[in-house]
PDB file of all heavy atoms in Angstrom:
ATOM      1  N   GLY T   1      -9.231   3.397  -6.218  1.00  0.00           N
ATOM      2  CA  GLY T   1      -8.371   2.928  -5.137  1.00  0.00           C
ATOM      3  C   GLY T   1      -7.168   2.185  -5.670  1.00  0.00           C
ATOM      4  O   GLY T   1      -7.132   1.747  -6.823  1.00  0.00           O
ATOM      5  N   GLY T   2      -6.181   2.053  -4.821  1.00  0.00           N
ATOM      6  CA  GLY T   2      -4.976   1.319  -5.191  1.00  0.00           C
ATOM      7  C   GLY T   2      -4.188   0.941  -3.960  1.00  0.00           C
ATOM      8  O   GLY T   2      -4.335   1.551  -2.891  1.00  0.00           O
ATOM      9  N   SER T   3      -3.374  -0.081  -4.076  1.00  0.00           N
ATOM     10  CA  SER T   3      -2.538  -0.505  -2.959  1.00  0.00           C
ATOM     11  C   SER T   3      -1.262  -1.153  -3.482  1.00  0.00           C
ATOM     12  O   SER T   3      -1.233  -1.702  -4.594  1.00  0.00           O
ATOM     13  CB  SER T   3      -3.284  -1.491  -2.049  1.00  0.00           C
ATOM     14  OG  SER T   3      -3.570  -2.696  -2.740  1.00  0.00           O
ATOM     15  N   ILE T   4      -0.220  -1.038  -2.675  1.00  0.00           N
ATOM     16  CA  ILE T   4       1.065  -1.676  -2.971  1.00  0.00           C
ATOM     17  C   ILE T   4       1.477  -2.478  -1.738  1.00  0.00           C
ATOM     18  O   ILE T   4       1.417  -1.974  -0.612  1.00  0.00           O
ATOM     19  CB  ILE T   4       2.151  -0.636  -3.295  1.00  0.00           C
ATOM     20  CG1 ILE T   4       1.757   0.174  -4.531  1.00  0.00           C
ATOM     21  CG2 ILE T   4       3.499  -1.317  -3.516  1.00  0.00           C
ATOM     22  CD1 ILE T   4       2.721   1.317  -4.832  1.00  0.00           C
ATOM     23  N   TYR T   5       1.853  -3.716  -1.961  1.00  0.00           N
ATOM     24  CA  TYR T   5       2.321  -4.586  -0.882  1.00  0.00           C
ATOM     25  C   TYR T   5       3.714  -5.079  -1.212  1.00  0.00           C
ATOM     26  O   TYR T   5       3.996  -5.443  -2.359  1.00  0.00           O
ATOM     27  CB  TYR T   5       1.383  -5.778  -0.717  1.00  0.00           C
ATOM     28  CG  TYR T   5       1.949  -6.897   0.132  1.00  0.00           C
ATOM     29  CD1 TYR T   5       1.839  -6.879   1.517  1.00  0.00           C
ATOM     30  CD2 TYR T   5       2.614  -7.975  -0.463  1.00  0.00           C
ATOM     31  CE1 TYR T   5       2.370  -7.897   2.295  1.00  0.00           C
ATOM     32  CE2 TYR T   5       3.141  -9.005   0.296  1.00  0.00           C
ATOM     33  CZ  TYR T   5       3.018  -8.957   1.673  1.00  0.00           C
ATOM     34  OH  TYR T   5       3.552  -9.983   2.432  1.00  0.00           O
ATOM     35  N   GLN T   6       4.582  -5.084  -0.211  1.00  0.00           N
ATOM     36  CA  GLN T   6       5.932  -5.608  -0.411  1.00  0.00           C
ATOM     37  C   GLN T   6       6.386  -6.381   0.814  1.00  0.00           C
ATOM     38  O   GLN T   6       6.241  -5.904   1.953  1.00  0.00           O
ATOM     39  CB  GLN T   6       6.930  -4.479  -0.683  1.00  0.00           C
ATOM     40  CG  GLN T   6       8.338  -4.998  -0.967  1.00  0.00           C
ATOM     41  CD  GLN T   6       9.321  -3.894  -1.289  1.00  0.00           C
ATOM     42  OE1 GLN T   6       9.028  -2.727  -1.108  1.00  0.00           O
ATOM     43  NE2 GLN T   6      10.490  -4.266  -1.772  1.00  0.00           N
ATOM     44  N   LYS T   7       6.906  -7.561   0.583  1.00  0.00           N
ATOM     45  CA  LYS T   7       7.523  -8.346   1.646  1.00  0.00           C
ATOM     46  C   LYS T   7       9.014  -8.038   1.600  1.00  0.00           C
ATOM     47  O   LYS T   7       9.751  -8.574   0.764  1.00  0.00           O
ATOM     48  CB  LYS T   7       7.261  -9.839   1.438  1.00  0.00           C
ATOM     49  CG  LYS T   7       7.692 -10.708   2.607  1.00  0.00           C
ATOM     50  CD  LYS T   7       7.269 -12.145   2.395  1.00  0.00           C
ATOM     51  CE  LYS T   7       7.680 -13.032   3.576  1.00  0.00           C
ATOM     52  NZ  LYS T   7       6.963 -12.683   4.819  1.00  0.00           N
ATOM     53  N   VAL T   8       9.443  -7.150   2.481  1.00  0.00           N
ATOM     54  CA  VAL T   8      10.821  -6.658   2.467  1.00  0.00           C
ATOM     55  C   VAL T   8      11.799  -7.786   2.772  1.00  0.00           C
ATOM     56  O   VAL T   8      12.820  -7.959   2.100  1.00  0.00           O
ATOM     57  CB  VAL T   8      10.990  -5.504   3.463  1.00  0.00           C
ATOM     58  CG1 VAL T   8      12.426  -4.977   3.444  1.00  0.00           C
ATOM     59  CG2 VAL T   8      10.009  -4.371   3.138  1.00  0.00           C
ATOM     60  N   ASN T   9      11.497  -8.556   3.806  1.00  0.00           N
ATOM     61  CA  ASN T   9      12.293  -9.734   4.144  1.00  0.00           C
ATOM     62  C   ASN T   9      11.394 -10.714   4.890  1.00  0.00           C
ATOM     63  O   ASN T   9      10.181 -10.522   4.948  1.00  0.00           O
ATOM     64  CB  ASN T   9      13.541  -9.352   4.974  1.00  0.00           C
ATOM     65  CG  ASN T   9      13.194  -8.530   6.211  1.00  0.00           C
ATOM     66  OD1 ASN T   9      12.282  -8.885   6.958  1.00  0.00           O
ATOM     67  ND2 ASN T   9      13.924  -7.431   6.409  1.00  0.00           N
ATOM     68  N   SER T  10      11.974 -11.750   5.460  1.00  0.00           N
ATOM     69  CA  SER T  10      11.165 -12.784   6.099  1.00  0.00           C
ATOM     70  C   SER T  10      10.421 -12.278   7.326  1.00  0.00           C
ATOM     71  O   SER T  10       9.453 -12.904   7.772  1.00  0.00           O
ATOM     72  CB  SER T  10      12.064 -13.973   6.491  1.00  0.00           C
ATOM     73  OG  SER T  10      13.091 -13.550   7.383  1.00  0.00           O
ATOM     74  N   ASN T  11      10.861 -11.136   7.876  1.00  0.00           N
ATOM     75  CA  ASN T  11      10.231 -10.616   9.093  1.00  0.00           C
ATOM     76  C   ASN T  11       9.373  -9.376   8.869  1.00  0.00           C
ATOM     77  O   ASN T  11       8.507  -9.068   9.689  1.00  0.00           O
ATOM     78  CB  ASN T  11      11.299 -10.275  10.142  1.00  0.00           C
ATOM     79  CG  ASN T  11      12.047 -11.499  10.622  1.00  0.00           C
ATOM     80  OD1 ASN T  11      11.473 -12.576  10.750  1.00  0.00           O
ATOM     81  ND2 ASN T  11      13.338 -11.350  10.884  1.00  0.00           N
ATOM     82  N   LEU T  12       9.605  -8.647   7.791  1.00  0.00           N
ATOM     83  CA  LEU T  12       8.957  -7.349   7.602  1.00  0.00           C
ATOM     84  C   LEU T  12       8.098  -7.313   6.344  1.00  0.00           C
ATOM     85  O   LEU T  12       8.547  -7.665   5.256  1.00  0.00           O
ATOM     86  CB  LEU T  12      10.017  -6.241   7.526  1.00  0.00           C
ATOM     87  CG  LEU T  12       9.505  -4.819   7.314  1.00  0.00           C
ATOM     88  CD1 LEU T  12       8.618  -4.387   8.472  1.00  0.00           C
ATOM     89  CD2 LEU T  12      10.676  -3.856   7.136  1.00  0.00           C
ATOM     90  N   GLU T  13       6.840  -6.870   6.521  1.00  0.00           N
ATOM     91  CA  GLU T  13       5.903  -6.658   5.421  1.00  0.00           C
ATOM     92  C   GLU T  13       5.391  -5.226   5.486  1.00  0.00           C
ATOM     93  O   GLU T  13       5.099  -4.717   6.578  1.00  0.00           O
ATOM     94  CB  GLU T  13       4.720  -7.619   5.513  1.00  0.00           C
ATOM     95  CG  GLU T  13       5.091  -9.087   5.475  1.00  0.00           C
ATOM     96  CD  GLU T  13       3.903  -9.985   5.749  1.00  0.00           C
ATOM     97  OE1 GLU T  13       3.026 -10.103   4.868  1.00  0.00           O
ATOM     98  OE2 GLU T  13       3.835 -10.534   6.863  1.00  0.00           O
ATOM     99  N   THR T  14       5.264  -4.564   4.340  1.00  0.00           N
ATOM    100  CA  THR T  14       4.778  -3.192   4.300  1.00  0.00           C
ATOM    101  C   THR T  14       3.685  -3.051   3.250  1.00  0.00           C
ATOM    102  O   THR T  14       3.591  -3.855   2.309  1.00  0.00           O
ATOM    103  CB  THR T  14       5.913  -2.207   3.973  1.00  0.00           C
ATOM    104  OG1 THR T  14       6.438  -2.516   2.668  1.00  0.00           O
ATOM    105  CG2 THR T  14       7.030  -2.301   5.005  1.00  0.00           C
ATOM    106  N   ALA T  15       2.859  -2.024   3.403  1.00  0.00           N
ATOM    107  CA  ALA T  15       1.779  -1.779   2.454  1.00  0.00           C
ATOM    108  C   ALA T  15       1.436  -0.298   2.436  1.00  0.00           C
ATOM    109  O   ALA T  15       1.556   0.399   3.444  1.00  0.00           O
ATOM    110  CB  ALA T  15       0.546  -2.597   2.812  1.00  0.00           C
ATOM    111  N   VAL T  16       1.002   0.172   1.269  1.00  0.00           N
ATOM    112  CA  VAL T  16       0.524   1.537   1.088  1.00  0.00           C
ATOM    113  C   VAL T  16      -0.839   1.459   0.413  1.00  0.00           C
ATOM    114  O   VAL T  16      -1.030   0.677  -0.524  1.00  0.00           O
ATOM    115  CB  VAL T  16       1.496   2.374   0.226  1.00  0.00           C
ATOM    116  CG1 VAL T  16       0.932   3.774   0.001  1.00  0.00           C
ATOM    117  CG2 VAL T  16       2.865   2.442   0.870  1.00  0.00           C
ATOM    118  N   SER T  17      -1.796   2.249   0.892  1.00  0.00           N
ATOM    119  CA  SER T  17      -3.150   2.246   0.340  1.00  0.00           C
ATOM    120  C   SER T  17      -3.564   3.664  -0.020  1.00  0.00           C
ATOM    121  O   SER T  17      -3.296   4.610   0.733  1.00  0.00           O
ATOM    122  CB  SER T  17      -4.129   1.659   1.370  1.00  0.00           C
ATOM    123  OG  SER T  17      -5.457   1.717   0.891  1.00  0.00           O
ATOM    124  N   LEU T  18      -4.210   3.811  -1.188  1.00  0.00           N
ATOM    125  CA  LEU T  18      -4.698   5.104  -1.668  1.00  0.00           C
ATOM    126  C   LEU T  18      -6.146   4.960  -2.103  1.00  0.00           C
ATOM    127  O   LEU T  18      -6.540   3.918  -2.634  1.00  0.00           O
ATOM    128  CB  LEU T  18      -3.868   5.610  -2.846  1.00  0.00           C
ATOM    129  CG  LEU T  18      -2.399   5.953  -2.596  1.00  0.00           C
ATOM    130  CD1 LEU T  18      -1.691   6.158  -3.923  1.00  0.00           C
ATOM    131  CD2 LEU T  18      -2.279   7.212  -1.759  1.00  0.00           C
ATOM    132  N   ALA T  19      -6.944   6.025  -1.890  1.00  0.00           N
ATOM    133  CA  ALA T  19      -8.343   6.008  -2.335  1.00  0.00           C
ATOM    134  C   ALA T  19      -8.843   7.430  -2.503  1.00  0.00           C
ATOM    135  O   ALA T  19      -8.450   8.324  -1.754  1.00  0.00           O
ATOM    136  CB  ALA T  19      -9.215   5.252  -1.336  1.00  0.00           C
ATOM    137  N   TRP T  20      -9.672   7.645  -3.498  1.00  0.00           N
ATOM    138  CA  TRP T  20     -10.302   8.952  -3.677  1.00  0.00           C
ATOM    139  C   TRP T  20     -11.611   8.776  -4.434  1.00  0.00           C
ATOM    140  O   TRP T  20     -11.864   7.762  -5.083  1.00  0.00           O
ATOM    141  CB  TRP T  20      -9.362   9.929  -4.384  1.00  0.00           C
ATOM    142  CG  TRP T  20      -9.068   9.622  -5.816  1.00  0.00           C
ATOM    143  CD1 TRP T  20      -9.713  10.091  -6.923  1.00  0.00           C
ATOM    144  CD2 TRP T  20      -8.025   8.759  -6.304  1.00  0.00           C
ATOM    145  NE1 TRP T  20      -9.132   9.582  -8.056  1.00  0.00           N
ATOM    146  CE2 TRP T  20      -8.106   8.762  -7.715  1.00  0.00           C
ATOM    147  CE3 TRP T  20      -7.030   7.982  -5.683  1.00  0.00           C
ATOM    148  CZ2 TRP T  20      -7.232   8.022  -8.505  1.00  0.00           C
ATOM    149  CZ3 TRP T  20      -6.176   7.242  -6.476  1.00  0.00           C
ATOM    150  CH2 TRP T  20      -6.281   7.269  -7.874  1.00  0.00           C
ATOM    151  N   THR T  21     -12.456   9.809  -4.331  1.00  0.00           N
ATOM    152  CA  THR T  21     -13.771   9.794  -4.953  1.00  0.00           C
ATOM    153  C   THR T  21     -13.850  10.880  -6.020  1.00  0.00           C
ATOM    154  O   THR T  21     -13.380  12.001  -5.797  1.00  0.00           O
ATOM    155  CB  THR T  21     -14.875  10.027  -3.899  1.00  0.00           C
ATOM    156  OG1 THR T  21     -14.746   9.033  -2.874  1.00  0.00           O
ATOM    157  CG2 THR T  21     -16.255   9.921  -4.522  1.00  0.00           C
ATOM    158  N   ALA T  22     -14.441  10.540  -7.164  1.00  0.00           N
ATOM    159  CA  ALA T  22     -14.579  11.513  -8.241  1.00  0.00           C
ATOM    160  C   ALA T  22     -15.381  12.724  -7.754  1.00  0.00           C
ATOM    161  O   ALA T  22     -16.380  12.581  -7.046  1.00  0.00           O
ATOM    162  CB  ALA T  22     -15.274  10.874  -9.438  1.00  0.00           C
ATOM    163  N   GLY T  23     -14.937  13.919  -8.131  1.00  0.00           N
ATOM    164  CA  GLY T  23     -15.614  15.134  -7.711  1.00  0.00           C
ATOM    165  C   GLY T  23     -15.184  15.645  -6.362  1.00  0.00           C
ATOM    166  O   GLY T  23     -15.703  16.644  -5.869  1.00  0.00           O
ATOM    167  N   SER T  24     -14.220  14.963  -5.738  1.00  0.00           N
ATOM    168  CA  SER T  24     -13.715  15.379  -4.433  1.00  0.00           C
ATOM    169  C   SER T  24     -12.204  15.476  -4.487  1.00  0.00           C
ATOM    170  O   SER T  24     -11.532  14.674  -5.134  1.00  0.00           O
ATOM    171  CB  SER T  24     -14.131  14.370  -3.360  1.00  0.00           C
ATOM    172  OG  SER T  24     -13.500  14.650  -2.129  1.00  0.00           O
ATOM    173  N   ASN T  25     -11.676  16.479  -3.800  1.00  0.00           N
ATOM    174  CA  ASN T  25     -10.229  16.658  -3.748  1.00  0.00           C
ATOM    175  C   ASN T  25      -9.605  15.937  -2.565  1.00  0.00           C
ATOM    176  O   ASN T  25      -8.395  16.022  -2.351  1.00  0.00           O
ATOM    177  CB  ASN T  25      -9.884  18.153  -3.672  1.00  0.00           C
ATOM    178  CG  ASN T  25     -10.260  18.898  -4.936  1.00  0.00           C
ATOM    179  OD1 ASN T  25     -10.160  18.350  -6.028  1.00  0.00           O
ATOM    180  ND2 ASN T  25     -10.714  20.143  -4.786  1.00  0.00           N
TER     181      ASN T  25
END
C-alpha cells in the first residue's frame, strides 16, 4: 500500500491512496 497527502493551501487538502495484493492484478 501507499498514500500521498498534500496540503495545497490553507483551505484545500488532497490525498491519493493505492493498494494491491501479491498474486492479484
Side-chain angles (χ1 to χ4, degrees):
S3 65
I4 299 174
Y5 166 85
Q6 183 178 11
K7 189 174 181 66
V8 181
N9 54 48
S10 59
N11 295 324
L12 179 62
E13 300 173 73
T14 62
V16 177
S17 177
L18 295 169
W20 68 93
T21 304
S24 172
N25 294 325

